Amino acid sequence: MTAQIAIITGGSRGLGKNAALHLARKGIDSIITYHSHQSEAEKVVQEIKQLGANAVALQLDTANSKSFEHFYLQVKQTLSEGWQTEQFNFLVNNAGIGLGASFAETTEEQFDQLMNIHVKGVFFLTQKLLSLIADGGRILNISTGLTRFCSPGYAAYASMKGAVEVLTQYLAKELGERGISVNVLAPGAIETDFRGGAIRNNKELKDFLASQTALGRVGLPDDIGGVIASLLSGDNQWITAQRIEASGGMFL
Ligand code: NDP
């Protein structure tokens, strides 16, 4: 059987790592990317291999669109050497940072950093990889529950994710003729390293968020990795241009 391959940006930790492991359990291979945590990424590659799937880790800074041509060439070479193919099936635009500041205090530097990673990076990386995505493939962008509900301190971050939600619809429209479905997943609060582990390490915040969540707790990486894997691997091809929230029912 021909291998199915996902590229997951930010696969060294958190939600991207968890998604790669869930995909591996479904027999789907991954090219994961890391920004600075190479050894973490290599550990994920080993874990994927132990699950019986194949994986490679590549360095990528999604804030630097000038590096995307080099990344594209690396992906081409990796697909050819590792899988004897020219194409991959699934792109998960997951890499991201959490940067909290009130609207009044957000600096231009913070704004530009968020814009480069969360909007410009997603836009031009997807554009660069387009010819390598197989017809009938799927793209999943990662947004946030914060585009539906507001929490002070996230004006810039949530605005960038809102832009990705609109971009998702345009990609779905324009790539539909190739049979590529494009959706956006909006996780609620999940215990990862995100924002310095703020959700995981701050009991007061965690308890508050749990009290505002229908399912009565904050999310764990497995709550999201499983959804990502099932959206990519299941019989979901007819779902496109959708924002799917996986928040356990936050702030209903
Ligand atoms: P983590 O901080 O746990 O992991 C972030 C990942 O992104 C790492 O793999 C990191 O690589 C990579 N990364 C960071 N900056 C860059 C960059 N400039 N270029 C390339 N890769 C980069 O975060 P999460 O897993 O929690 O978050 C993943 C996505 O989910 C993000 O888009 C985030 O906005 C979104 N999200 C998270 C929520 C949460 O509560 N955790 C809620 C809603 C959305 P390295 O390890 O090398 O640093």
Side-chain angles (χ1 to χ4, degrees):
M1 206 178 76
T2 319
Q4 288 198 301
I5 306 158
I7 292 187
I8 304 173
T9 65
S12 48
R13 293 182 285 127
L15 306 184
K17 168 186 172 177
N18 194 276
L21 294 175
H22 275 271
L23 285 168
R25 287 187 198 102
K26 290 177 181 289
I28 295 173
D29 298 339
S30 289
I31 296 175
I32 60 164
T33 78
Y34 62 92
H35 179 218
S36 51
H37 291 84
Q38 181 175 9
S39 62
E40 299 289 316
E42 293 301 343
K43 276 186 215 152
V44 178
V45 166
Q46 289 315 315
E47 281 187 62
I48 291 171
K49 288 186 173 171
Q50 278 160 18
L51 291 167
N54 194 7
V56 170
L58 297 178
Q59 202 276 337
L60 172 70
D61 179 2
T62 58
N64 179 12
S65 56
K66 299 274 181 290
S67 70
F68 293 172
E69 174 66 20
H70 174 68
F71 180 72
Y72 162 83
L73 294 173
Q74 275 190 307
V75 169
K76 265 188 98 153
Q77 191 181 349
T78 303
L79 289 171
S80 165
E81 289 174 3
W83 285 273
Q84 294 76 51
T85 181
E86 293 181 346
Q87 297 203 296
F88 67 97
N89 309 89
F90 311 120
L91 173 63
V92 185
N93 283 307
N94 163 77
I97 56 163
L99 216 163
S102 71
F103 171 73
E105 289 174 351
T106 301
T107 65
E108 215 173 314
E109 287 71 25
Q110 290 173 327
F111 185 97
D112 288 344
Q113 193 186 6
L114 287 166
M115 175 64 97
N116 286 337
I117 293 176
H118 289 283
V119 183
K120 191 176 176 185
V122 172
F123 193 106
F124 287 105
L125 184 70
T126 305
Q127 185 189 71
K128 183 59 78 181
L129 295 177
L130 215 45
S131 64
L132 302 183
I133 302 176
D135 288 357
R138 302 182 196 184
I139 298 173
L140 188 62
N141 297 320
I142 305 300
S143 178
T144 170
L146 291 161
T147 57
R148 176 177 63 80
F149 48 78
C150 296
S151 181
Y154 290 102
Y157 171 79
S159 299
M160 307 302 168
K161 292 293 199 182
V164 166
E165 294 187 4
V166 174
L167 173 63
T168 298
Q169 296 189 42
Y170 275 83
L171 290 177
K173 184 82 175 169
E174 295 195 16
L175 305 185
E177 63 184 17
R178 289 182 51 198
I180 296 174
S181 61
V182 189
N183 294 293
V184 58
L185 180 69
I190 315 290
E191 291 188 38
T192 65
D193 296 338
F194 192 69
R195 291 217 60 205
I199 294 158
R200 185 180 53 216
N201 302 336
N202 182 336
K203 185 172 178 335
E204 208 177 320
L205 175 64
K206 198 165 139 177
D207 288 349
F208 169 71
L209 293 173
S211 76
Q212 300 300 314
T213 301
L215 294 178
R217 60 173 176 83
V218 299
L220 295 167
D222 270 337
D223 293 316
I224 301 301
V227 175
I228 293 174
S230 72
L231 282 171
L232 296 179
S233 66
D235 296 332
N236 296 314
Q237 190 72 18
W238 201 239
I239 299 176
T240 195
Q242 299 306 302
R243 176 188 187 275
I244 298 144
E245 186 171 308
S247 69
M250 279 182 79
F251 296 117
L252 295 178

